[in-house]
Amino acid sequence: MTELHATPLVSVNRLCKTYGGEGGLFGSRTVALKAVNNVSFDIAAGETLGLVGESGSGKSTTGRVLLQLEAPTSGDILFRNKNITGLSKTMLKPYRRDMQIIFQDPYASLNPRMTVGEFVAEPLDVHGLAGARSERQDRVASLFKKVGLDPSFMKRYPHEFSGGQRQRVNIARAIALNPAFIVADEPITALDVSIQAQIVNLFQDLQDELGLTYLFIAHDLSMIRYLCHRVAVMLRGRIVEIGPCEAIFENPQHPYTKALLSAIPVPDPDIERNRRPIAFDVNANLPPEEASLRAVGDRHFVLGG
Ligand SMILES: Nc1ncnc2c1ncn2[C@@H]1O[C@H](COP(=O)(O)OP(=O)(O)OP(=O)(O)O)[C@@H](O)[C@H]1O
Ligand SMILES: [Mg+2]
């Protein structure tokens, strides 16, 4: 893995995103849902922070708000130490180049009527970086090679590709503008298990080669251990535990983290036979609103009193 730098590339401070709660249609009031509730973390340049938690815990919302695809209800987002919260579209444009997102469903992200070559070239066009026709072709071809696709595939359409290849196309487009930071929102969840490791390896190779920084969102913890330097565990909009990968896996502190870890199948049949998933009742164990993160080890924090 790449050397880490001490300065954070990305920080979020006390980030909140609430849905509903205002007067709705016909004046009806909806209950406010705190999808992201007081979330703070830093990601160092060249680092991968894993974000895990059950469905609906607020992982994707955190990623979208961090990239300013949606405005936060409150809190700040810093990129290279500059507060970019609430910047206008024009002011945000240079940051858009530097911050990209990759989604779960590789087919839905692609345009079925566009060749994959055109799809990868599009951001270059939008930012006026495509250059002459031959230069544009060369750039796209080199992006294809970087993600392990034969450049002769450029003229093909998305339906001609497998799931793993489609995700490679999405990754090629995401790195076209030489970004510093990528939010990968469950990028392997929709892929065959046999393909998942290849795509995880591609993320890692690209990080080594390009010095990328990732927020890697995942449902479960199995690939996270392999890919991430640190892990944050989310539950109902809050981070309940965050720390270096080894600390989270070897010495989990929060009962929810323990439950998540106990749910991972082990490839050893003897151990697997005796594995007992730990139950966790979310409703009986909701973190109190006033709870805050406290240090339990080196860069290892857990929510609670
Ligand atoms: N645009 C929206 N309007 C209203 N509620 C939303 C919106 N987007 C997300 N939510 C709600 O916010 C909560 C967090 O959703 P989010 O998609 O961030 O969870 P997630 O952790 O990414 O889940 P999953 O693992 O299923 O992808 C959920 O309760 C969801 O229903
Ligand atoms: Mg999600």
Side-chain angles (χ1 to χ4, degrees):
M1 288 189 191
T2 41
E3 286 278 310
L4 298 187
H5 306 281
T7 20
L9 180 76
V10 184
S11 308
V12 298
N13 292 327
R14 308 181 74 83
L15 199 67
C16 293
K17 179 69 184 177
T18 306
Y19 291 113
E22 319 87 29
L25 201 58
F26 309 119
S28 66
R29 289 185 68 84
T30 50
V31 178
L33 172 84
K34 291 181 177 176
V36 176
N37 187 3
N38 209 1
V39 161
S40 304
F41 56 76
D42 289 339
I43 313 179
E47 185 180 36
T48 303
L49 177 68
L51 188 57
V52 298
E54 64 172 3
S55 183
S57 56
K59 306 180 297 294
S60 297
T61 308
T62 302
R64 287 199 307 269
V65 172
L66 170 48
L67 294 183
Q68 306 251 24
L69 302 174
E70 280 181 74
T73 306
S74 61
D76 293 309
I77 301 137
L78 281 80
F79 188 74
R80 295 204 169 101
N81 276 333
K82 185 170 170 6
N83 195 332
I84 58 163
T85 325
L87 289 185
S88 68
K89 231 176 161 178
T90 322
M91 296 286 280
L92 211 52
K93 197 170 177 193
Y95 296 99
R96 290 258 177 257
R97 268 179 70 172
D98 252 335
M99 304 166 97
Q100 299 289 324
I101 187 161
I102 294 167
F103 294 104
Q104 172 173 339
D105 182 347
Y107 195 60
S109 319
L110 295 168
N111 181 342
R113 281 177 295 279
M114 207 184 235
T115 64
V116 291
E118 285 302 309
F119 179 75
V120 170
E122 200 175 43
L124 296 169
D125 297 338
V126 169
H127 285 266
L129 300 168
R133 201 183 149 76
S134 62
E135 192 188 330
R136 183 175 183 267
Q137 286 292 97
D138 289 348
R139 288 187 75 155
V140 176
S142 103
L143 287 164
F144 268 59
K145 280 190 215 147
K146 270 207 174 73
V147 299
L149 289 174
D150 193 304
S152 68
F153 291 175
M154 277 160 59
K155 293 192 180 63
R156 297 191 187 175
Y157 288 86
H159 71 263
E160 299 175 67
F161 292 90
S162 68
Q165 288 174 323
R166 285 176 193 151
Q167 200 56 300
R168 287 177 194 271
V169 173
N170 282 304
I171 294 169
R173 177 176 159 121
I175 61 170
L177 299 171
N178 286 323
F181 176 58
I182 293 180
V183 172
D185 191 353
E186 309 231 21
I188 59 167
T189 310
L191 304 177
D192 283 354
V193 175
S194 58
I195 306 296
Q196 290 185 348
Q198 294 176 16
I199 299 297
V200 165
N201 284 333
L202 175 61
F203 273 105
Q204 204 156 47
D205 291 347
L206 291 173
Q207 180 166 62
D208 291 344
E209 194 183 331
L210 310 171
L212 290 167
T213 304
Y214 296 128
L215 178 67
F216 195 90
I217 299 174
H219 240 80
D220 68 79
L221 284 157
S222 37
M223 284 289 173
I224 289 281
R225 181 169 206 168
Y226 181 67
L227 186 70
C228 297
H229 301 95
R230 280 187 305 136
V231 184
V233 181
M234 268 189 103
L235 176 67
R236 299 280 171 99
R238 305 205 67 182
I239 289 183
V240 295
E241 186 159 3
I242 181 167
C245 218
E246 316 80 68
I248 298 289
F249 278 87
E250 303 300 336
N251 189 21
Q253 297 292 313
H254 196 277
Y256 180 59
T257 314
K258 291 179 185 173
L260 272 185
L261 286 169
S262 75
I264 306 175
V266 184
D268 180 330
D270 290 333
I271 301 177
E272 181 61 17
R273 204 171 301 125
N274 296 316
R275 183 171 63 86
R276 295 279 173 271
I278 301 169
F280 181 80
D281 181 352
V282 180
N283 293 318
N285 292 281
L286 268 187
E289 197 57 37
E290 69 282 2
S292 54
L293 287 170
R294 65 188 165 89
V296 288
D298 181 27
R299 297 186 303 149
H300 185 184
F301 300 86
V302 66
L303 192 72

